[in-house]
Amino acid sequence: MSLVKVSAVRYINSYPFILGLKDSKVLSMMDLEVCHPSECANRLINGTTDVGLVPVAALSRMDEFHVISNFCLGTNAEVKTVLVVSNTPIDECKRIYLDFRSRSSNTASRIIAEKFWKRQYEWVVTGEDFDALTIAKGEAAVIIGDQCFRKADRFRYKRDIGTEWNSFTGLPFVFACWASSKKLGNEFISLFNEALADGVKNKDEAVTLLPPGMDVTPREVIDYYKYNIDFILDEPKRKAMSLFLSYIKEMNIKV
């Protein structure tokens, strides 16, 4: 039997999933790789992976997808690792740079700006050489993931996208979910979810996966898992996903 290709996210927020998968029964059935969220999406869309922890926004580009797990990367309010940052009051900014690593975070920022903040910005796509710390007066940037622990305090103004979405809709938000582009066997799905459940149950142990030199302490990561990131794809989060995808369609956002 051929291995199921699985793409996971390389950030701290997905470490509990990696923890659960790495010593699991399902590992022998998988070819596991880690990459940026946008690359997870690209690989699932172009068929080079079978399962991905993919940005929800990317689902809008797929003719067929299957959400295969009740686990996700979500938040009930403040997420801490998806921010719009600036040294100019954000309402006074004219331009916002998007983070090349993400799809859902960029798209959520655009929806919130138009629908909730009632503001129009120039949205600029960036690449790997972009550094948010170089933005000029009147500019802002979307930053995501582990870099938020290092860079957030270097900006005067910050808006948390999880908090802003919750204030706008009254709902939690889902940044990424486990999806496949085709139907998979029940045995694989069952063992895969058992592994994810085990990782989430023991999520504090995921700090053992922190690489040397990370500018974040184990205590900060444990607090982040406790207070900011939420791993359970429950009914309110599924409702939030549907609303998010409907805004993408209504606003004709090219993800």
Side-chain angles (χ1 to χ4, degrees), residues 145-216:
D146 301 352
Q147 64 176 324
C148 294
F149 289 99
R150 302 189 300 271
K151 295 182 177 180
D153 289 342
R154 300 177 69 177
F155 295 93
R156 292 182 62 191
Y157 302 96
K158 299 180 284 289
R159 291 189 185 177
D160 185 288
I161 290 302
T163 300
E164 295 297 309
W165 174 266
N166 180 257
S167 297
F168 172 43
T169 67
L171 293 169
F173 191 77
V174 181
F175 293 95
C177 64
W178 290 102
S180 66
S181 57
K182 59 186 179 183
K183 290 186 177 181
L184 300 173
N186 290 335
E187 181 186 12
F188 174 83
I189 292 175
S190 177
L191 291 174
F192 185 75
N193 278 284
E194 283 181 17
L196 298 182
D198 188 59
V200 170
K201 179 181 178 181
N202 298 289
K203 59 183 180 292
D204 289 358
E205 296 177 19
V207 297
T208 60
L209 302 180
L210 286 169
M214 282 287 291
D215 194 14
V216 59

Coordinates of all heavy atoms in Angstrom, one line a residue, residues 145-216:
G145 N 2.6 33.6 12.9 CA 3.4 32.5 13.4 C 4.4 32.9 14.4 O 4.3 33.8 15.2
D146 N 5.5 32.1 14.4 CA 6.5 32.2 15.5 C 7.2 33.6 15.5 O 7.6 34.1 16.6 CB 7.6 31.2 15.3 CG 7.1 29.8 15.3 OD1 5.9 29.6 15.6 OD2 7.8 28.8 15.0
Q147 N 7.2 34.3 14.4 CA 7.9 35.6 14.3 C 7.1 36.6 15.2 O 7.7 37.6 15.7 CB 8.0 36.2 12.9 CG 6.6 36.4 12.3 CD 6.7 37.0 10.9 OE1 7.6 37.8 10.6 NE2 5.9 36.6 10.0
C148 N 5.9 36.4 15.5 CA 5.1 37.3 16.4 C 5.7 37.4 17.8 O 5.7 38.4 18.4 CB 3.6 36.9 16.4 SG 2.8 37.1 14.8
F149 N 6.2 36.2 18.2 CA 6.9 36.2 19.6 C 8.1 37.1 19.6 O 8.4 37.7 20.6 CB 7.3 34.8 20.0 CG 6.1 33.9 20.3 CD1 5.6 33.0 19.3 CD2 5.5 33.9 21.5 CE1 4.6 32.1 19.6 CE2 4.4 33.1 21.8 CZ 4.0 32.2 20.9
R150 N 8.8 37.2 18.5 CA 10.0 38.0 18.4 C 9.8 39.5 18.0 O 10.5 40.3 18.5 CB 11.0 37.4 17.4 CG 11.3 35.9 17.6 CD 12.4 35.5 16.7 NE 12.1 35.6 15.3 CZ 11.5 34.6 14.6 NH1 11.1 33.5 15.2 NH2 11.2 34.7 13.3
K151 N 8.8 39.7 17.2 CA 8.7 41.1 16.6 C 7.6 41.9 17.1 O 7.6 43.2 16.9 CB 8.6 40.9 15.0 CG 9.8 40.3 14.4 CD 9.6 40.2 12.9 CE 10.8 39.7 12.2 NZ 10.7 39.6 10.7
A152 N 6.5 41.3 17.6 CA 5.3 42.1 17.9 C 5.6 43.3 18.8 O 5.1 44.4 18.5 CB 4.3 41.2 18.6
D153 N 6.4 43.2 19.8 CA 6.7 44.3 20.7 C 7.5 45.4 20.1 O 7.7 46.5 20.8 CB 7.4 43.8 22.0 CG 6.4 43.0 22.9 OD1 5.2 43.1 22.7 OD2 6.9 42.2 23.7
R154 N 8.0 45.2 18.9 CA 8.8 46.3 18.2 C 7.9 47.2 17.4 O 8.5 48.1 16.8 CB 9.9 45.6 17.4 CG 10.8 44.7 18.2 CD 11.8 44.0 17.4 NE 12.8 44.9 16.8 CZ 13.8 44.4 16.1 NH1 14.0 43.1 15.9 NH2 14.7 45.3 15.6
F155 N 6.6 47.1 17.5 CA 5.7 48.0 16.8 C 4.8 48.7 17.8 O 4.5 48.1 18.9 CB 4.8 47.2 15.9 CG 5.6 46.5 14.7 CD1 6.0 45.2 14.8 CD2 5.8 47.2 13.6 CE1 6.7 44.6 13.8 CE2 6.5 46.6 12.5 CZ 7.0 45.4 12.6
R156 N 4.5 49.9 17.5 CA 3.7 50.7 18.5 C 2.2 50.3 18.4 O 1.5 50.4 19.4 CB 3.8 52.2 18.1 CG 5.1 52.8 18.3 CD 5.1 54.3 18.0 NE 4.2 55.0 18.8 CZ 3.9 56.3 18.6 NH1 4.3 57.0 17.5 NH2 3.0 56.9 19.4
Y157 N 1.7 49.9 17.3 CA 0.3 49.5 17.1 C 0.1 48.1 16.6 O 0.8 47.7 15.7 CB -0.4 50.5 16.2 CG -0.2 52.0 16.6 CD1 0.8 52.8 16.0 CD2 -1.1 52.5 17.5 CE1 1.0 54.1 16.5 CE2 -0.9 53.8 17.9 CZ 0.1 54.6 17.4 OH 0.2 55.9 17.8
K158 N -0.8 47.4 17.3 CA -1.0 46.0 16.9 C -2.5 45.7 17.0 O -3.2 46.2 17.9 CB -0.3 45.0 17.9 CG 1.2 45.2 17.9 CD 1.9 44.2 18.8 CE 1.7 44.7 20.3 NZ 2.5 45.9 20.6
R159 N -3.0 44.9 16.1 CA -4.4 44.4 16.1 C -4.3 42.9 15.9 O -3.8 42.4 14.9 CB -5.3 45.1 15.1 CG -5.5 46.6 15.4 CD -6.6 47.2 14.5 NE -6.7 48.6 14.8 CZ -7.5 49.4 14.1 NH1 -8.3 48.9 13.2 NH2 -7.6 50.7 14.4
D160 N -4.9 42.2 16.8 CA -5.0 40.8 16.8 C -6.2 40.3 16.0 O -7.3 40.7 16.2 CB -5.1 40.2 18.2 CG -5.0 38.7 18.3 OD1 -6.0 38.1 17.9 OD2 -4.0 38.2 18.8
I161 N -5.9 39.5 14.9 CA -7.0 39.2 14.0 C -8.0 38.2 14.6 O -9.2 38.3 14.3 CB -6.3 38.5 12.7 CG1 -5.6 39.6 11.9 CG2 -7.4 37.9 11.8 CD1 -6.5 40.8 11.5
G162 N -7.6 37.4 15.6 CA -8.5 36.6 16.3 C -9.5 37.4 17.1 O -10.7 37.2 17.1
T163 N -9.0 38.4 17.8 CA -9.8 39.3 18.6 C -10.7 40.1 17.7 O -11.9 40.3 18.0 CB -8.9 40.3 19.4 OG1 -8.1 39.5 20.3 CG2 -9.8 41.2 20.2
E164 N -10.2 40.6 16.6 CA -11.0 41.5 15.7 C -12.1 40.7 15.0 O -13.3 41.2 14.9 CB -10.1 42.1 14.6 CG -9.0 43.0 15.1 CD -9.6 44.3 15.8 OE1 -10.5 44.9 15.2 OE2 -9.2 44.6 16.9
W165 N -11.8 39.5 14.6 CA -12.9 38.6 14.0 C -14.0 38.3 15.0 O -15.2 38.4 14.7 CB -12.3 37.3 13.5 CG -13.3 36.3 13.0 CD1 -13.9 35.3 13.7 CD2 -13.9 36.3 11.7 NE1 -14.8 34.6 12.9 CE2 -14.8 35.2 11.7 CE3 -13.7 37.0 10.5 CZ2 -15.5 34.8 10.6 CZ3 -14.5 36.6 9.4 CH2 -15.4 35.6 9.4
N166 N -13.6 38.0 16.3 CA -14.6 37.7 17.3 C -15.4 39.0 17.6 O -16.6 38.8 17.8 CB -13.9 37.2 18.6 CG -14.8 36.9 19.7 OD1 -15.0 37.7 20.6 ND2 -15.5 35.8 19.6
S167 N -14.8 40.1 17.7 CA -15.6 41.4 17.9 C -16.5 41.6 16.8 O -17.6 42.2 17.0 CB -14.6 42.5 18.1 OG -13.8 42.4 19.2
F168 N -16.1 41.3 15.6 CA -17.0 41.5 14.4 C -18.1 40.6 14.3 O -19.3 40.9 14.0 CB -16.1 41.4 13.1 CG -16.8 41.5 11.8 CD1 -17.8 42.3 11.6 CD2 -16.4 40.6 10.8 CE1 -18.4 42.4 10.3 CE2 -17.0 40.6 9.6 CZ -18.0 41.5 9.3
T169 N -17.9 39.3 14.5 CA -18.9 38.2 14.2 C -19.4 37.6 15.4 O -20.5 36.9 15.4 CB -18.2 37.1 13.4 OG1 -17.2 36.4 14.1 CG2 -17.6 37.6 12.1
G170 N -18.7 37.7 16.6 CA -19.2 37.0 17.8 C -18.8 35.5 17.7 O -19.2 34.7 18.6
L171 N -18.0 35.1 16.8 CA -17.6 33.7 16.6 C -16.1 33.5 16.8 O -15.3 34.5 16.7 CB -17.9 33.3 15.1 CG -19.4 33.2 14.8 CD1 -19.6 33.0 13.3 CD2 -20.1 32.1 15.6
P172 N -15.7 32.3 17.0 CA -14.2 32.0 17.0 C -13.8 32.0 15.5 O -14.5 32.4 14.6 CB -14.2 30.5 17.5 CG -15.5 29.9 17.2 CD -16.5 31.1 17.3
F173 N -12.5 31.7 15.3 CA -11.9 31.7 14.0 C -11.1 30.5 13.8 O -10.4 30.0 14.7 CB -11.1 32.9 13.7 CG -10.7 33.1 12.3 CD1 -11.6 33.6 11.4 CD2 -9.5 32.7 11.8 CE1 -11.3 33.7 10.0 CE2 -9.1 32.9 10.5 CZ -10.1 33.3 9.6
V174 N -11.1 29.9 12.6 CA -10.3 28.8 12.2 C -9.3 29.2 11.2 O -9.7 29.6 10.1 CB -11.1 27.6 11.7 CG1 -10.2 26.4 11.4 CG2 -12.2 27.2 12.7
F175 N -8.0 29.1 11.5 CA -7.0 29.5 10.5 C -6.6 28.3 9.6 O -6.4 28.5 8.4 CB -5.7 29.9 11.3 CG -5.9 31.2 12.0 CD1 -6.3 31.2 13.3 CD2 -5.8 32.4 11.3 CE1 -6.5 32.4 14.0 CE2 -6.0 33.6 12.0 CZ -6.4 33.6 13.4
A176 N -6.6 27.1 10.1 CA -6.3 25.9 9.3 C -7.0 24.7 9.8 O -7.3 24.6 11.0 CB -4.7 25.7 9.3
C177 N -7.3 23.8 8.9 CA -7.9 22.6 9.2 C -7.3 21.4 8.5 O -6.6 21.7 7.5 CB -9.4 22.6 8.9 SG -9.8 22.8 7.2
W178 N -7.5 20.2 8.9 CA -6.9 19.0 8.2 C -7.9 18.6 7.1 O -9.0 18.3 7.4 CB -6.7 17.9 9.2 CG -5.6 18.1 10.2 CD1 -5.8 18.5 11.5 CD2 -4.2 17.9 9.9 NE1 -4.5 18.5 12.1 CE2 -3.6 18.2 11.2 CE3 -3.5 17.5 8.8 CZ2 -2.2 18.1 11.3 CZ3 -2.1 17.5 9.0 CH2 -1.5 17.8 10.2
A179 N -7.4 18.7 5.9 CA -8.3 18.4 4.7 C -7.5 17.5 3.7 O -6.3 17.5 3.7 CB -8.7 19.7 4.1
S180 N -8.3 16.8 3.0 CA -7.8 16.0 1.9 C -8.5 16.4 0.6 O -9.6 16.9 0.6 CB -8.0 14.5 2.1 OG -9.4 14.1 2.1
S181 N -7.9 16.1 -0.5 CA -8.5 16.4 -1.8 C -9.2 15.3 -2.4 O -9.9 15.4 -3.4 CB -7.4 16.8 -2.8 OG -6.4 15.8 -2.9
K182 N -9.2 14.1 -1.7 CA -9.9 12.9 -2.1 C -10.3 12.1 -0.9 O -9.8 12.4 0.2 CB -9.1 12.1 -3.0 CG -7.8 11.6 -2.4 CD -6.9 10.9 -3.4 CE -5.6 10.4 -2.7 NZ -4.6 9.8 -3.6
K183 N -11.2 11.2 -1.1 CA -11.7 10.4 0.0 C -10.5 9.4 0.4 O -9.9 8.8 -0.4 CB -12.9 9.6 -0.3 CG -14.2 10.5 -0.5 CD -15.4 9.6 -0.7 CE -16.6 10.5 -0.8 NZ -17.9 9.8 -1.0
L184 N -10.4 9.2 1.7 CA -9.3 8.4 2.3 C -10.0 7.2 3.1 O -11.2 7.3 3.4 CB -8.4 9.2 3.2 CG -7.7 10.3 2.6 CD1 -6.9 11.1 3.7 CD2 -6.7 9.9 1.5
G185 N -9.2 6.2 3.3 CA -9.7 5.0 4.0 C -10.1 5.3 5.4 O -9.4 6.1 6.1
N186 N -11.1 4.6 5.9 CA -11.6 4.9 7.3 C -10.5 4.5 8.3 O -10.4 5.2 9.4 CB -12.8 4.0 7.6 CG -14.0 4.6 6.8 OD1 -14.1 5.7 6.4 ND2 -15.0 3.7 6.5
E187 N -9.7 3.5 8.0 CA -8.7 3.1 9.0 C -7.7 4.2 9.2 O -7.3 4.5 10.3 CB -8.0 1.8 8.6 CG -6.9 1.3 9.6 CD -6.1 0.2 9.1 OE1 -6.2 -0.2 7.9 OE2 -5.3 -0.4 9.9
F188 N -7.2 4.7 8.1 CA -6.2 5.8 8.1 C -6.8 7.0 8.9 O -6.1 7.6 9.8 CB -5.8 6.3 6.7 CG -4.9 7.5 6.8 CD1 -3.5 7.3 7.0 CD2 -5.4 8.8 6.6 CE1 -2.7 8.5 7.1 CE2 -4.6 9.9 6.7 CZ -3.2 9.7 6.9
I189 N -8.0 7.4 8.5 CA -8.6 8.6 9.2 C -8.8 8.4 10.7 O -8.5 9.2 11.5 CB -10.0 8.9 8.6 CG1 -9.8 9.4 7.1 CG2 -10.7 10.0 9.4 CD1 -11.1 9.7 6.4
S190 N -9.2 7.2 11.1 CA -9.4 6.9 12.5 C -8.0 6.9 13.3 O -7.9 7.6 14.3 CB -10.0 5.5 12.7 OG -10.1 5.1 14.0
L191 N -7.0 6.3 12.7 CA -5.7 6.3 13.4 C -5.1 7.7 13.4 O -4.4 8.1 14.3 CB -4.8 5.3 12.7 CG -5.1 3.8 12.9 CD1 -4.2 2.9 12.0 CD2 -5.0 3.4 14.4
F192 N -5.3 8.4 12.3 CA -4.8 9.8 12.2 C -5.4 10.6 13.3 O -4.7 11.4 14.0 CB -5.1 10.3 10.8 CG -4.5 11.7 10.5 CD1 -3.2 11.8 10.2 CD2 -5.3 12.8 10.5 CE1 -2.6 13.1 9.9 CE2 -4.8 14.0 10.2 CZ -3.5 14.2 9.9
N193 N -6.7 10.6 13.5 CA -7.3 11.4 14.5 C -7.0 10.9 15.9 O -6.9 11.8 16.8 CB -8.8 11.4 14.3 CG -9.3 12.4 13.2 OD1 -9.3 13.6 13.5 ND2 -9.6 11.9 12.0
E194 N -6.8 9.6 16.1 CA -6.3 9.2 17.4 C -4.9 9.8 17.7 O -4.7 10.2 18.9 CB -6.1 7.7 17.4 CG -7.4 6.9 17.5 CD -7.2 5.4 17.5 OE1 -6.1 5.0 17.8 OE2 -8.2 4.6 17.3
A195 N -4.1 9.9 16.8 CA -2.7 10.5 17.0 C -2.9 12.0 17.3 O -2.2 12.5 18.2 CB -1.9 10.3 15.7
L196 N -3.7 12.7 16.5 CA -3.9 14.1 16.8 C -4.5 14.3 18.2 O -4.1 15.2 18.9 CB -4.8 14.7 15.8 CG -4.4 14.7 14.3 CD1 -5.4 15.4 13.4 CD2 -3.0 15.3 14.1
A197 N -5.4 13.5 18.6 CA -6.1 13.6 19.9 C -5.0 13.4 21.0 O -5.0 14.1 22.0 CB -7.2 12.6 20.0
D198 N -4.1 12.4 20.8 CA -3.1 12.2 21.8 C -2.2 13.4 21.9 O -1.8 13.8 23.0 CB -2.3 10.9 21.4 CG -1.3 10.5 22.5 OD1 -1.8 10.2 23.6 OD2 -0.1 10.4 22.2
G199 N -1.8 14.0 20.8 CA -0.9 15.2 20.8 C -1.6 16.3 21.5 O -0.9 17.0 22.3
V200 N -2.8 16.6 21.2 CA -3.5 17.7 21.8 C -3.7 17.5 23.3 O -3.6 18.4 24.2 CB -4.9 17.9 21.2 CG1 -5.8 18.9 21.9 CG2 -4.7 18.4 19.7
K201 N -4.0 16.2 23.7 CA -4.1 15.9 25.1 C -2.8 16.2 25.9 O -2.9 16.6 27.1 CB -4.5 14.4 25.3 CG -4.6 13.9 26.7 CD -5.0 12.4 26.8 CE -5.1 11.9 28.2 NZ -5.4 10.5 28.2
N202 N -1.7 16.0 25.3 CA -0.4 16.2 25.9 C 0.3 17.4 25.3 O 1.6 17.4 25.2 CB 0.4 14.9 25.7 CG -0.2 13.7 26.4 OD1 -0.2 13.6 27.6 ND2 -0.7 12.8 25.5
K203 N -0.4 18.4 25.0 CA 0.1 19.5 24.2 C 1.3 20.2 24.9 O 2.2 20.7 24.3 CB -1.0 20.5 23.9 CG -1.7 21.1 25.0 CD -2.8 22.0 24.5 CE -3.6 22.7 25.6 NZ -4.4 21.7 26.3
D204 N 1.3 20.3 26.3 CA 2.3 21.0 26.9 C 3.7 20.3 26.7 O 4.7 21.0 26.7 CB 2.1 21.0 28.5 CG 0.9 22.0 28.8 OD1 0.4 22.6 27.9 OD2 0.6 22.1 30.0
E205 N 3.7 19.0 26.4 CA 4.9 18.3 26.1 C 5.5 18.7 24.8 O 6.7 18.4 24.5 CB 4.7 16.8 26.2 CG 4.3 16.2 27.5 CD 4.0 14.8 27.5 OE1 4.4 14.1 26.6 OE2 3.3 14.3 28.4
A206 N 4.7 19.3 24.0 CA 5.2 19.8 22.6 C 6.3 20.8 22.7 O 7.1 21.0 21.7 CB 4.1 20.3 21.8
V207 N 6.5 21.4 23.9 CA 7.7 22.3 24.0 C 9.0 21.6 23.9 O 10.0 22.2 23.6 CB 7.6 23.0 25.4 CG1 6.4 23.9 25.5 CG2 7.7 22.1 26.5
T208 N 9.0 20.2 24.0 CA 10.3 19.5 23.8 C 10.7 19.5 22.3 O 11.8 19.2 22.0 CB 10.1 18.0 24.2 OG1 9.0 17.4 23.4 CG2 9.7 17.9 25.7
L209 N 9.8 19.9 21.4 CA 10.1 20.0 20.0 C 10.7 21.4 19.6 O 11.1 21.6 18.5 CB 8.9 19.8 19.2 CG 8.2 18.4 19.4 CD1 6.9 18.3 18.5 CD2 9.1 17.3 19.1
L210 N 10.7 22.3 20.6 CA 11.3 23.6 20.3 C 12.8 23.5 19.9 O 13.6 22.9 20.6 CB 11.2 24.6 21.5 CG 9.8 25.1 21.8 CD1 9.9 25.8 23.2 CD2 9.4 26.1 20.8
P211 N 13.2 24.0 18.7 CA 14.6 23.9 18.3 C 15.5 24.9 19.1 O 15.0 25.9 19.7 CB 14.5 24.3 16.8 CG 13.4 25.2 16.7 CD 12.3 24.7 17.7
P212 N 16.8 24.6 19.2 CA 17.7 25.5 19.9 C 17.6 26.9 19.3 O 17.5 27.0 18.1 CB 19.0 24.8 19.7 CG 18.7 23.4 19.4 CD 17.4 23.4 18.7
G213 N 17.8 27.9 20.1 CA 17.8 29.3 19.6 C 16.5 30.0 19.4 O 16.5 31.1 18.9
M214 N 15.4 29.3 19.6 CA 14.1 29.9 19.5 C 14.0 31.0 20.5 O 14.2 30.8 21.7 CB 13.0 28.9 19.6 CG 12.7 28.0 18.4 SD 11.9 28.9 17.1 CE 10.3 29.2 17.7
D215 N 13.5 32.2 20.0 CA 13.4 33.4 20.9 C 12.0 33.3 21.6 O 11.2 34.3 21.6 CB 13.6 34.7 20.1 CG 13.8 35.9 21.1 OD1 14.0 35.7 22.3 OD2 13.6 37.0 20.6
V216 N 11.7 32.2 22.2 CA 10.5 32.1 23.0 C 10.7 31.0 24.0 O 11.4 30.0 23.8 CB 9.3 31.7 22.0 CG1 9.6 30.4 21.3 CG2 8.0 31.6 22.8

